[in-house]
Amino acid sequence: MSQIVRVALDVPLYRYFDYLVPGDEQVTAADIGRRVQVPFGRRTMIGIIVDLPPTSDLPNEQLRPIETVLHDLPRLPDDWLRLTEFCAGYYHAPPGQVMLSTLPVALRSPKSAKGARRLARPATSAAGGQALPALRAEQEAALAAIHQAGPGFHSFLLHGVTGSGKTEVYLRLIESSLLAGKQALLLVPEINLTPQLEARVAARFPSVALVSLHSGLGEAARQRNWQAALTGTARIVLGTRLAAFTPLPELGLIVVDEEHDPSFKQQDGVRYSARDLAVFRARQLAIPIVLGSATPSLESWANATAGVGRSRYQLLSLRERAVAGARLPLVRRIDTRLDRAENGLSAALRAALAQRLECGEQSLLFLNRRGYAPVVGCPACGWTSGCPRCAAHLVLHLRDRCLRCHHCGFAVPVTKACPTCGNQNLIAFGRGTQRLEATLAEIFPQARVLRVDRDSASTRRQWEALAARIDGGQADILVGTQMLAKGHDFARLTLVGVIAPDAALFAADWRAAERLFAQLMQVAGRAGRAERPGEVLIQTQFPEHPLYQALIEHDYPAFAAVQLAERRQAGFPPYAYQAVLRAEAREMGEALAFLATARAAALEVDSAAVTAYDPVPMRLARRANRERAQLLVESGSRRALQAFLSTWQLRLVALKLPAQLSWHLEVDPLEL
Ligand code: ADP
Ligand code: ZN
Ligand code: ZN
């Protein structure tokens, strides 16, 4: 009689693999979660033991024996196995790939697997001896609510304007967790931009082992930190989205800072949401989770404001800035219909810049550089190219002069004149502003202009060098994208100019307004955090738009209420659940034909609660010589969508594909 082990392997198959345990090895339930070396085809692979089934679907003669069970590390905890299994199930990804891909490279490669080094770092416990600020009443109330909720799973949405003391609340919670002998996981969107946070956590808990996990680490450091988490040596883990999978045997608290940030969504491979997985993880571990933001995602806001008995998250609010006397910046609109923004700058903004230059203060010019897919509109009567079949906007495709709905697939030729008023000068929203730096050099030849974007600050070191230059007063005007809006305080910065934000108001991407609001709140939060009051000037042709109105009043709840009402009416998330099937091929015809077959397969799946829309070519369809198209499926029920996807995916996997056609499925897509 031979024992069977079920093993997860890094292969693109939606299943596990059974092996036999040879006579000289002994495997018990305590080995579930251990790495194991096994033969696979002609190779040797590292897998993870996920189960010890009494029998296999295959006869024992067809099973091969494992080579060795690796005992170099503690086993991966049960909750980690459940988390990765859930991720594979929910995002319809091969489970072995999900599991193995979250491990440091050396621990999943057979050659070096045995070389996993043991770590000897002193385990410490005490919190630091810093004098802590006395908590403000709102902070006290938030902490009290979290403590009162007692043990078990509770999810909180901590909504607080920039500088309202959210991080201080996290630090207090982490401290309680450490004192209770637990590990804490703090997830942040981009660690390159958050050295300040890391330093702050380290300073608060100087004798506690803190490790960070992010893509900027070298493999050796990543492995060291990951192992410290798994062995329990590390008590605080600070990391980006992949860190949501860190094995933490004594996890007692999860905090997701800037929970609205799109970078919590993985955009290739397994397209998971680290925030959503973190909530799942907290629930199954029965521990608290705190999602924090000044501008929560509308999904989270809806979850927190659904009403008594229906809210999945408890809402906690910090309404004022924490530092005494620090005021929120004054936000003003500049109507560029009256004050024309010549080469990007209105007269009012020029004057404000000149004034800051004169008194040696810094300014930031914020460009919203996202290449929004252009929507056609009429400046005379306000008509925009809405889709006649659904609530989305039609997008201009120049290649074949068509307007297309990226939501449902509807298409018409471009109209020459406005269908409402006949005006022949239609405009395409969504063109970026260029030449801004040239304009600045011309108007302010004496000013030191510094560009900050993904190219100029792609590594942490580059970013730190830039930040030091800025803090040191070596720049007068910063020009940048959302990169600049995140996480770093510049003490000398007192003016923020928002150059051309309007395109996002009319974008076909109906999440654009949500993103714009979050970015503008965040970038506004950069101005005047120290004793100096800040000012934000927004150049717009639509000053009455409710988004700007809410921004002036720093009123996220008002903005969210308007947006959610629109989403509900349109049947968009969070009131609908979506998945998108994308195909890439050499010819558009092939991609569309595949999606048409996929849609036919979808219609065969018996699911009245799910709608499968028509396939749509992407606007910038040709990328790297590949043609891309997509198909959206949608349902009012998450469960119905999931059930549908499970069946549909089996059929998709079975389809015969033309050479060089590839496809993937994304659940809860953030971009269409
Ligand atoms: P957020 O995370 O909401 O942006 P922080 O926690 O970073 O806010 O707090 C903003 C600033 O206020 C920081 O400099 C912090 O040290 C300070 N601060 C936070 N809480 C208090 C408090 N209770 N009393 C005084 N200062 C505080
Ligand atoms: Zn018109
Ligand atoms: Zn449509």
Short mmCIF file of all heavy atoms in Angstrom, two decimals, residues 436-475:
data_model
loop_
_atom_site.label_atom_id
_atom_site.label_comp_id
_atom_site.label_asym_id
_atom_site.label_seq_id
_atom_site.Cartn_x
_atom_site.Cartn_y
_atom_site.Cartn_z
N LEU A 436 4.60 72.08 -22.47
CA LEU A 436 4.48 72.87 -21.26
C LEU A 436 5.84 73.36 -20.78
O LEU A 436 6.01 74.51 -20.38
CB LEU A 436 3.79 72.05 -20.17
CG LEU A 436 3.54 72.81 -18.88
CD1 LEU A 436 2.53 73.92 -19.09
CD2 LEU A 436 3.06 71.87 -17.80
N GLU A 437 6.82 72.46 -20.86
CA GLU A 437 8.14 72.86 -20.36
C GLU A 437 8.74 73.99 -21.18
O GLU A 437 9.39 74.89 -20.65
CB GLU A 437 9.08 71.66 -20.35
CG GLU A 437 8.77 70.72 -19.21
CD GLU A 437 9.59 69.46 -19.29
OE1 GLU A 437 9.14 68.55 -20.00
OE2 GLU A 437 10.67 69.39 -18.70
N ALA A 438 8.51 73.93 -22.50
CA ALA A 438 9.03 74.99 -23.37
C ALA A 438 8.39 76.32 -22.99
O ALA A 438 9.05 77.36 -22.90
CB ALA A 438 8.74 74.65 -24.82
N THR A 439 7.08 76.28 -22.73
CA THR A 439 6.38 77.50 -22.33
C THR A 439 6.98 78.05 -21.04
O THR A 439 7.22 79.26 -20.91
CB THR A 439 4.89 77.20 -22.09
OG1 THR A 439 4.41 76.44 -23.19
CG2 THR A 439 4.09 78.47 -21.95
N LEU A 440 7.22 77.17 -20.09
CA LEU A 440 7.77 77.61 -18.80
C LEU A 440 9.13 78.28 -18.99
O LEU A 440 9.39 79.34 -18.42
CB LEU A 440 7.91 76.42 -17.85
CG LEU A 440 6.61 75.88 -17.26
CD1 LEU A 440 6.87 74.60 -16.49
CD2 LEU A 440 5.97 76.93 -16.34
N ALA A 441 9.97 77.63 -19.81
CA ALA A 441 11.31 78.17 -20.02
C ALA A 441 11.24 79.56 -20.64
O ALA A 441 12.05 80.45 -20.34
CB ALA A 441 12.11 77.24 -20.92
N GLU A 442 10.23 79.76 -21.47
CA GLU A 442 10.07 81.04 -22.13
C GLU A 442 9.61 82.13 -21.16
O GLU A 442 10.15 83.22 -21.12
CB GLU A 442 9.02 80.87 -23.22
CG GLU A 442 9.16 81.75 -24.43
CD GLU A 442 8.16 81.29 -25.46
OE1 GLU A 442 8.41 80.25 -26.13
OE2 GLU A 442 7.11 81.94 -25.55
N ILE A 443 8.61 81.78 -20.35
CA ILE A 443 8.04 82.79 -19.46
C ILE A 443 8.90 83.03 -18.22
O ILE A 443 9.02 84.15 -17.74
CB ILE A 443 6.63 82.39 -18.97
CG1 ILE A 443 5.79 81.90 -20.14
CG2 ILE A 443 5.94 83.56 -18.31
CD1 ILE A 443 4.44 81.37 -19.70
N PHE A 444 9.47 81.95 -17.69
CA PHE A 444 10.26 82.07 -16.46
C PHE A 444 11.67 81.55 -16.71
O PHE A 444 12.04 80.49 -16.20
CB PHE A 444 9.62 81.27 -15.32
CG PHE A 444 8.20 81.65 -15.02
CD1 PHE A 444 7.17 80.75 -15.24
CD2 PHE A 444 7.89 82.90 -14.50
CE1 PHE A 444 5.85 81.08 -14.95
CE2 PHE A 444 6.57 83.24 -14.21
CZ PHE A 444 5.55 82.34 -14.43
N PRO A 445 12.48 82.29 -17.48
CA PRO A 445 13.80 81.77 -17.83
C PRO A 445 14.67 81.53 -16.60
O PRO A 445 15.56 80.67 -16.62
CB PRO A 445 14.39 82.85 -18.74
CG PRO A 445 13.54 84.07 -18.54
CD PRO A 445 12.21 83.60 -18.07
N GLN A 446 14.39 82.23 -15.52
CA GLN A 446 15.23 82.09 -14.32
C GLN A 446 14.83 80.89 -13.46
O GLN A 446 15.56 80.48 -12.58
CB GLN A 446 15.20 83.39 -13.50
CG GLN A 446 13.94 83.61 -12.65
CD GLN A 446 12.71 84.05 -13.48
OE1 GLN A 446 12.66 83.92 -14.70
NE2 GLN A 446 11.69 84.55 -12.79
N ALA A 447 13.65 80.32 -13.71
CA ALA A 447 13.15 79.26 -12.82
C ALA A 447 13.83 77.93 -13.11
O ALA A 447 14.14 77.61 -14.25
CB ALA A 447 11.64 79.11 -13.01
N ARG A 448 14.08 77.17 -12.06
CA ARG A 448 14.61 75.82 -12.24
C ARG A 448 13.44 74.85 -12.33
O ARG A 448 12.73 74.64 -11.35
CB ARG A 448 15.53 75.47 -11.08
CG ARG A 448 16.80 76.34 -11.06
CD ARG A 448 17.44 76.33 -9.70
NE ARG A 448 16.51 76.81 -8.68
CZ ARG A 448 16.76 76.77 -7.37
NH1 ARG A 448 17.88 76.24 -6.93
NH2 ARG A 448 15.88 77.23 -6.50
N VAL A 449 13.24 74.30 -13.51
CA VAL A 449 12.10 73.42 -13.76
C VAL A 449 12.57 71.97 -13.68
O VAL A 449 13.58 71.60 -14.26
CB VAL A 449 11.48 73.71 -15.15
CG1 VAL A 449 10.35 72.73 -15.44
CG2 VAL A 449 10.98 75.15 -15.21
N LEU A 450 11.84 71.18 -12.94
CA LEU A 450 12.23 69.78 -12.77
C LEU A 450 11.08 68.87 -13.18
O LEU A 450 9.96 69.01 -12.69
CB LEU A 450 12.58 69.54 -11.30
CG LEU A 450 13.18 68.18 -10.95
CD1 LEU A 450 14.54 68.01 -11.60
CD2 LEU A 450 13.32 68.06 -9.43
N ARG A 451 11.38 67.95 -14.10
CA ARG A 451 10.35 67.02 -14.55
C ARG A 451 10.39 65.76 -13.68
O ARG A 451 11.46 65.22 -13.42
CB ARG A 451 10.61 66.67 -16.01
CG ARG A 451 9.95 65.40 -16.48
CD ARG A 451 10.12 65.22 -17.95
NE ARG A 451 9.29 66.20 -18.66
CZ ARG A 451 8.00 66.00 -18.91
NH1 ARG A 451 7.41 64.90 -18.54
NH2 ARG A 451 7.31 66.91 -19.55
N VAL A 452 9.25 65.33 -13.22
CA VAL A 452 9.19 64.11 -12.42
C VAL A 452 8.13 63.19 -13.02
O VAL A 452 6.94 63.50 -13.00
CB VAL A 452 8.82 64.39 -10.95
CG1 VAL A 452 8.84 63.11 -10.15
CG2 VAL A 452 9.77 65.40 -10.35
N ASP A 453 8.56 62.11 -13.60
CA ASP A 453 7.59 61.14 -14.11
C ASP A 453 8.24 59.76 -14.06
O ASP A 453 9.32 59.60 -13.50
CB ASP A 453 7.14 61.51 -15.53
CG ASP A 453 8.32 61.66 -16.47
OD1 ASP A 453 9.39 61.10 -16.18
OD2 ASP A 453 8.16 62.35 -17.49
N ARG A 454 7.58 58.81 -14.66
CA ARG A 454 8.07 57.46 -14.57
C ARG A 454 9.45 57.28 -15.20
O ARG A 454 10.21 56.41 -14.80
CB ARG A 454 7.06 56.51 -15.20
CG ARG A 454 6.58 55.54 -14.16
CD ARG A 454 5.38 54.78 -14.47
NE ARG A 454 4.32 55.24 -13.58
CZ ARG A 454 4.28 54.99 -12.28
NH1 ARG A 454 5.21 54.29 -11.68
NH2 ARG A 454 3.30 55.44 -11.55
N ASP A 455 9.75 58.12 -16.18
CA ASP A 455 11.06 57.98 -16.81
C ASP A 455 12.17 58.59 -15.97
O ASP A 455 13.26 58.05 -15.88
CB ASP A 455 11.06 58.65 -18.20
CG ASP A 455 10.06 57.96 -19.11
OD1 ASP A 455 9.87 56.74 -18.94
OD2 ASP A 455 9.48 58.66 -19.96
N SER A 456 11.87 59.74 -15.35
CA SER A 456 12.92 60.41 -14.60
C SER A 456 13.07 59.83 -13.19
O SER A 456 14.05 60.12 -12.51
CB SER A 456 12.65 61.91 -14.52
OG SER A 456 11.45 62.15 -13.84
N ALA A 457 12.13 59.03 -12.75
CA ALA A 457 12.21 58.47 -11.39
C ALA A 457 11.73 57.02 -11.41
O ALA A 457 10.80 56.66 -10.72
CB ALA A 457 11.39 59.29 -10.43
N SER A 458 12.39 56.20 -12.21
CA SER A 458 11.87 54.85 -12.35
C SER A 458 12.37 53.93 -11.24
O SER A 458 11.70 52.98 -10.89
CB SER A 458 12.22 54.28 -13.72
OG SER A 458 13.62 54.25 -13.86
N THR A 459 13.53 54.20 -10.68
CA THR A 459 13.98 53.37 -9.57
C THR A 459 13.85 54.14 -8.27
O THR A 459 13.73 55.37 -8.26
CB THR A 459 15.46 52.96 -9.72
OG1 THR A 459 16.26 54.15 -9.57
CG2 THR A 459 15.72 52.34 -11.07
N ARG A 460 13.91 53.39 -7.21
CA ARG A 460 13.81 54.02 -5.91
C ARG A 460 14.95 55.00 -5.68
O ARG A 460 14.76 56.07 -5.10
CB ARG A 460 13.82 52.93 -4.86
CG ARG A 460 13.80 53.49 -3.47
CD ARG A 460 13.49 52.39 -2.53
NE ARG A 460 13.52 52.91 -1.19
CZ ARG A 460 12.96 52.30 -0.18
NH1 ARG A 460 12.33 51.17 -0.38
NH2 ARG A 460 13.01 52.81 1.02
N ARG A 461 16.14 54.62 -6.12
CA ARG A 461 17.28 55.50 -5.90
C ARG A 461 17.11 56.81 -6.66
O ARG A 461 17.35 57.89 -6.12
CB ARG A 461 18.57 54.78 -6.33
CG ARG A 461 19.81 55.53 -5.93
CD ARG A 461 21.03 54.66 -6.01
NE ARG A 461 20.93 53.50 -5.13
CZ ARG A 461 21.69 52.42 -5.22
NH1 ARG A 461 22.60 52.35 -6.17
NH2 ARG A 461 21.54 51.41 -4.39
N GLN A 462 16.66 56.71 -7.91
CA GLN A 462 16.42 57.93 -8.69
C GLN A 462 15.37 58.80 -8.01
O GLN A 462 15.50 60.02 -7.94
CB GLN A 462 15.90 57.57 -10.09
CG GLN A 462 16.98 57.11 -11.04
CD GLN A 462 16.37 56.65 -12.36
OE1 GLN A 462 15.20 56.30 -12.42
NE2 GLN A 462 17.16 56.67 -13.41
N TRP A 463 14.34 58.13 -7.52
CA TRP A 463 13.27 58.88 -6.87
C TRP A 463 13.78 59.58 -5.62
O TRP A 463 13.50 60.76 -5.38
CB TRP A 463 12.11 57.95 -6.55
CG TRP A 463 11.14 58.59 -5.61
CD1 TRP A 463 10.92 58.27 -4.31
CD2 TRP A 463 10.28 59.70 -5.90
NE1 TRP A 463 9.98 59.10 -3.77
CE2 TRP A 463 9.58 60.00 -4.72
CE3 TRP A 463 10.05 60.48 -7.02
CZ2 TRP A 463 8.65 61.03 -4.64
CZ3 TRP A 463 9.13 61.52 -6.94
CH2 TRP A 463 8.45 61.78 -5.77
N GLU A 464 14.59 58.87 -4.83
CA GLU A 464 15.09 59.47 -3.60
C GLU A 464 16.00 60.65 -3.91
O GLU A 464 15.97 61.67 -3.21
CB GLU A 464 15.82 58.42 -2.75
CG GLU A 464 14.83 57.55 -2.01
CD GLU A 464 15.46 56.39 -1.27
OE1 GLU A 464 16.64 56.08 -1.51
OE2 GLU A 464 14.75 55.78 -0.45
N ALA A 465 16.81 60.52 -4.97
CA ALA A 465 17.69 61.62 -5.36
C ALA A 465 16.86 62.83 -5.79
O ALA A 465 17.15 63.97 -5.40
CB ALA A 465 18.61 61.18 -6.49
N LEU A 466 15.81 62.57 -6.56
CA LEU A 466 14.95 63.67 -6.99
C LEU A 466 14.28 64.33 -5.79
O LEU A 466 14.23 65.56 -5.68
CB LEU A 466 13.85 63.13 -7.91
CG LEU A 466 14.09 63.17 -9.40
CD1 LEU A 466 12.92 62.54 -10.13
CD2 LEU A 466 14.29 64.60 -9.87
N ALA A 467 13.74 63.49 -4.90
CA ALA A 467 13.04 64.03 -3.74
C ALA A 467 13.99 64.87 -2.90
O ALA A 467 13.61 65.93 -2.38
CB ALA A 467 12.44 62.89 -2.91
N ALA A 468 15.24 64.43 -2.77
CA ALA A 468 16.21 65.18 -1.98
C ALA A 468 16.49 66.53 -2.64
O ALA A 468 16.62 67.55 -1.96
CB ALA A 468 17.50 64.38 -1.83
N ARG A 469 16.58 66.54 -3.96
CA ARG A 469 16.79 67.81 -4.66
C ARG A 469 15.63 68.76 -4.42
O ARG A 469 15.81 69.96 -4.22
CB ARG A 469 16.91 67.57 -6.17
CG ARG A 469 18.32 67.27 -6.61
CD ARG A 469 18.37 66.97 -8.10
NE ARG A 469 18.20 68.16 -8.93
CZ ARG A 469 18.05 68.09 -10.25
NH1 ARG A 469 18.04 66.93 -10.86
NH2 ARG A 469 17.91 69.21 -10.95
N ILE A 470 14.44 68.19 -4.46
CA ILE A 470 13.25 69.02 -4.28
C ILE A 470 13.20 69.56 -2.85
O ILE A 470 13.03 70.76 -2.62
CB ILE A 470 11.98 68.22 -4.60
CG1 ILE A 470 12.00 67.77 -6.07
CG2 ILE A 470 10.73 69.04 -4.32
CD1 ILE A 470 10.95 66.74 -6.44
N ASP A 471 13.42 68.65 -1.89
CA ASP A 471 13.40 69.08 -0.49
C ASP A 471 14.49 70.09 -0.20
O ASP A 471 14.32 70.99 0.62
CB ASP A 471 13.58 67.86 0.43
CG ASP A 471 12.29 67.09 0.59
OD1 ASP A 471 11.21 67.70 0.44
OD2 ASP A 471 12.36 65.87 0.84
N GLY A 472 15.62 69.92 -0.88
CA GLY A 472 16.73 70.83 -0.67
C GLY A 472 16.53 72.19 -1.34
O GLY A 472 17.41 73.03 -1.31
N GLY A 473 15.40 72.35 -1.98
CA GLY A 473 15.10 73.66 -2.59
C GLY A 473 15.83 73.87 -3.90
O GLY A 473 16.01 75.00 -4.35
N GLN A 474 16.25 72.80 -4.56
CA GLN A 474 16.98 72.98 -5.82
C GLN A 474 16.06 73.01 -7.04
O GLN A 474 16.53 72.87 -8.16
CB GLN A 474 18.00 71.85 -5.98
CG GLN A 474 19.09 71.88 -4.94
CD GLN A 474 20.02 70.70 -5.09
OE1 GLN A 474 20.46 70.39 -6.18
NE2 GLN A 474 20.30 70.03 -3.99
N ALA A 475 14.79 73.11 -6.82
CA ALA A 475 13.87 73.24 -7.95
C ALA A 475 12.79 74.25 -7.58
O ALA A 475 12.40 74.36 -6.41
CB ALA A 475 13.24 71.89 -8.26
#
